[in-house]
Amino acid sequence: MRPLKLFISAFGPYVKEEIDFTELKDKSIFLIHGPTGSGKTTILDAMCFALYGDTSGNERNSKNMRSHHAQIDQITEVTFDFEIKGYRYRVNRKPEQIRLKKSGKGTTIQNPEATLWKLNEEEVLLQTGWKNVTDTVENLIGFKSSQFRQVIMLPQGEFRKLLLADSVERQDILEKLFSTEIYRRIEEILKKSAKEIKETIKDLEKQKQWLLKKAECETIKDLEEEIKISQEKLINMQEILKEKAEKVKYVQEAFIKGKEGNEKLKEKELAQKELEILKDKILYIQQKREMLNKAVQAATLEETEKSTRLRSKDQKKCKKDLEEADKKLNEAIENYKESEIKLEEENEKEEDREKLKKQLLLIESYYDKVNALENSKKKLEQLKIELHKEELEKEKVIRKLKKLEALLEKQSIITEEAKEYSLKLAGFKVEYEGLQKTYNKRKELDKLNNIYEEIKKKYDYSLEEYKKAEKLYSKIKKEFFALQEVYQRGQAAILASNLDENMPCPVCGSLDHPSLAKKEDWMPTEEEIKEKQLSVEKLEKQKDKMKDVVNKKELEKEKVENRIKTIQEELGENAYIKIQILKDKLQDKQKIFEEALEKSKKLEFYQVQLEKLKEEEKENKEILERIEEALKNKIEAYQKHEGALKEQEEAIPENIRNIELLKIAQKQAKEQLDKLIKSFEKAKDDFDKATKELTVAKTSKENAKKALEEAYTKYIQERNAFIKKLSEAGFLSYTDYEKAKKDENLRKQLEQEIKEFEGNLHAAKDRLNRAKKASEGIVMVDIVKLEKTLKNVEKEKVEALKIENTLLEKIKYNKSLLKDLVKLDNLIDEKEKEYSVVGKLSEVSNGVNPYGLTFQRFVLSTLLDDITIAATERLKLMSKGRYHLRRTMDRARKNAAGGLELEVFDTYTGMQRPVSTLSGGETFLASLSLALGLSDVVQAYSGGISLDTIFVDEGFGTLDPEALDFAMKTLIDLQKGGRLVGIISHVPELKERIDARLEVIQVEKGSVAKFKIS
């Protein structure tokens, strides 16, 4: 990345400044010079802010960088043009700030904005949005903000961090610079895989022990022996079962045979009893047979009896018919007399009928006149309807015009409102999008607060555990030192006990022993001392491990805390407003913006609608004029027809002036005439009918009298015949005959009962003969005893079967367990082989070695070697060959990770020592060398990353003139490779040595900067 142009507005001490780096032309090293506090570092801050949205030292908040010398109407912004690999870019950033409202009075909050363009040939917009621009810049340059400050822009004190950092901090810096996370992930994957395999082996072992426990055996061999024993028991039990089955078969056969014999004897007894019962019923059946014979004889007389009864009924009916005919004859005579009188009365009304006929003809003669009158009325009514219709149409058009007037007024208001919204749309959009960004940040802040609370809980817990461990370590360490002191005093006492007068002391060599060490009451053994020492070392490891956890948690906490502070600063007062309030505000702004957008889109539509309404109003006014003209013509026609109608009405009687009244009058006259005619015709018909009915009644009476005489004769004949047959059938009286009578169903029932009895008697005799024959030679046995014996032997067989099944299930179950155990054993062997490889790789990659060197640290140590080699070349030059930078495998603590510690080799003493022992000036030179070496290695390894520029901020004031010469020589060497070197310093000597300078001068209102090239 090479800077081209920097434009600063209301930023830091600069009100408005433009710095054109192209003025340097072929100068590759320049000095940014000026008094302390003039704004030298602010130039680097502005570059960093434009690229990443933060400052070079990351200590000054970009929101607070607004110049105090700027006017309220001046916007704080930075525009930076730079070049990467031949391509030119421009980035512009505006932080969140208070500005004047675009319309109206007062101020408003300007939301942060960022824009990135590509400038080759034509200006092309690449990205917008604060985070989006930052992400794109990171991709273009190849560094994040922290890496950029470590490699390209080295702020005050920042480039010393890599030199003086501890192993963990240095690992974090190098990991970010060289993107070696993949090696750490490999460590984690191997560790996780080894742990999973180990857990799998433990689970498989647990399953194996669980299966052995289920089998109630300690080993697989024991289970195999148990299966063998069970199989032997099964063979013996199967032999016993065979014997039991044969015994059951023998007893079953005896039981079945005894049961069949007993049943045959019982059948004989039952057959004998059944025959005796049937013999007792013979007399009863004989009586039933006699009853059946009489019933059959009585049935032969039923037809004769029936015929006699019918003749009796005919005689009675004929007698009743004669009485009825006599009654009807009397009624016919009475009707004939009444109809004759009625007919004479109707003949007398002939004159009335003729008069009604003439009246009807007169009414019918008015039909033409009434029809003509009706038509005139209808025509007049039609004219009236048309007149009313025109009036309604007129009212309708008037209403429509009033409605159109209201719509026109409303549409005009809507159109004007849409115009107003269209003008305000851009402002609404800015407000909405600004509030949307604020709301999103507020959501992120809440999320980070929750994360912070969780991390803080873990940190507090880790710190508490560490304090406990440290307290316990101190206690045990004191105990160890006390124990060691007692042990040493005891050893001294042992030496003293062996000293004689004039014998030299083995410790000091003195012959005089004025105060000999006294033997203690108790002295610890060497093993106890060692055991206590091991406890101390173990607790120290635990304490240091917990310290690392605390440090890690503290870093996590600080990282989240810093992010929270950054967002809080960006949000300002909004950071403390309830998120629901912000959400409600956002929804209100969104609603206003969407409403404005919707109405703006509809503005053209509203204008078209307004024109349509105006055109429609014009058309309706023209229609109203035409309707009023037509209405005038129709009123004149109506008045003319109304006069003609009055003349027609006067020529017709008032009671028949419409067709309906005429029809009613005609109908009434016709009804009266029809009534008189019908009354006459009815009287005539009634007289004719009465005459006929009288003749028929006389004939019916003669016939009924004759039928009665014939019916009586036939009844006497049938009655005599029945009495004769009753005597011939053997019945003494009609009562005997009535008792003997039975209906057909009862006769059939008696017949069936007799047949069944005879069949049952025959069957019972046959059954007894068969039972006697079947039971010959059979003796009754005790079946209960036999059944009890059978149950006992069957029970013994079932018990044996249960034992056999139990053994079979046990063998099957144990074989299944054995199969699973063998399978588990094979799996355990496979997993143990796999663990022997993966576990070893995991240990090696995760630093289980004398140096505590992990896989990632090994890679980083190789990179650090390259960096120290490159740095040493420059440090040798700047220190006149005295100092060399080296990586050492020594560790600051036993439990600390190794491989990334730095030391300096002093050629004057021939010894190495920690870098922290260097003086201030030496530290600056070593740090500068390391920073430049790091830049070389990063560029060499990163391929796509171009390090065309480096800025160094201060530190030269600590150097003596000779060291300053060497440092300058090193920086001048950098420009030979085409790299632009910028130095920020107020040291006067540098002003004399560097001919290209960016002079920063303090003025009344802030500072100004301009290049001076000599």
Side-chain angles (χ1 to χ4, degrees), residues 115-158:
T115 312
L116 178 67
W117 298 270
K118 191 173 184 181
L119 302 178
N120 292 55
E121 295 179 2
E122 60 181 22
E123 191 174 292
V124 179
L125 180 66
L126 290 182
Q127 194 58 268
T128 59
W130 198 268
K131 188 175 183 304
N132 295 336
V133 169
T134 303
D135 293 342
T136 307
V137 167
E138 287 175 358
N139 291 330
L140 287 171
I141 297 175
F143 293 132
K144 292 185 180 296
S145 176
S146 58
Q147 296 167 322
F148 183 81
R149 294 194 301 272
Q150 192 74 42
V151 178
I152 294 175
M153 192 172 286
L154 308 178
Q156 296 176 12
E158 282 291 311

Side-chain angles (χ1 to χ4, degrees), residues 318-331:
C318 287
K319 188 177 181 181
K320 190 175 180 181
D321 289 345
L322 180 60
E323 290 172 355
E324 187 67 28
D326 189 51
K327 184 179 178 183
K328 284 182 178 180
L329 177 59
N330 293 330
E331 288 175 356

Side-chain angles (χ1 to χ4, degrees), residues 367-420:
Y367 262 99
D368 291 338
K369 291 179 181 179
V370 172
N371 282 329
L373 180 63
E374 284 288 316
N375 290 333
S376 296
K377 284 182 178 179
K378 284 178 183 178
K379 193 171 182 180
L380 187 65
E381 189 64 31
Q382 183 63 34
L383 285 170
K384 188 177 180 180
I385 290 167
E386 289 175 5
L387 185 63
H388 181 64
K389 188 176 179 183
E390 287 294 333
E391 288 172 345
L392 289 174
E393 192 66 28
K394 180 183 175 181
E395 289 175 5
K396 184 180 176 182
V397 173
I398 290 168
R399 284 198 303 272
K400 191 171 183 181
L401 281 168
K402 286 180 180 178
K403 189 176 179 182
L404 281 169
E405 285 173 9
L407 286 172
L408 271 167
E409 186 180 355
K410 185 179 178 182
Q411 191 65 34
S412 297
I413 293 166
I414 291 169
T415 305
E416 287 301 316
E417 190 181 47
K419 282 181 184 177
E420 188 179 348

Side-chain angles (χ1 to χ4, degrees), residues 290-299 302 305 726 731-743 746-747 750:
E290 289 177 1
M291 185 185 296
L292 177 62
N293 291 335
K294 283 186 177 182
V296 170
Q297 191 67 31
E302 283 179 359
E305 183 188 16
L726 195 66
F731 292 106
L732 299 176
S733 65
Y734 181 76
T735 303
D736 290 342
Y737 163 72
E738 278 293 319
K739 287 181 181 178
K741 271 201 310 184
K742 298 288 185 288
D743 60 39
L746 187 57
R747 291 200 303 272
L750 286 168

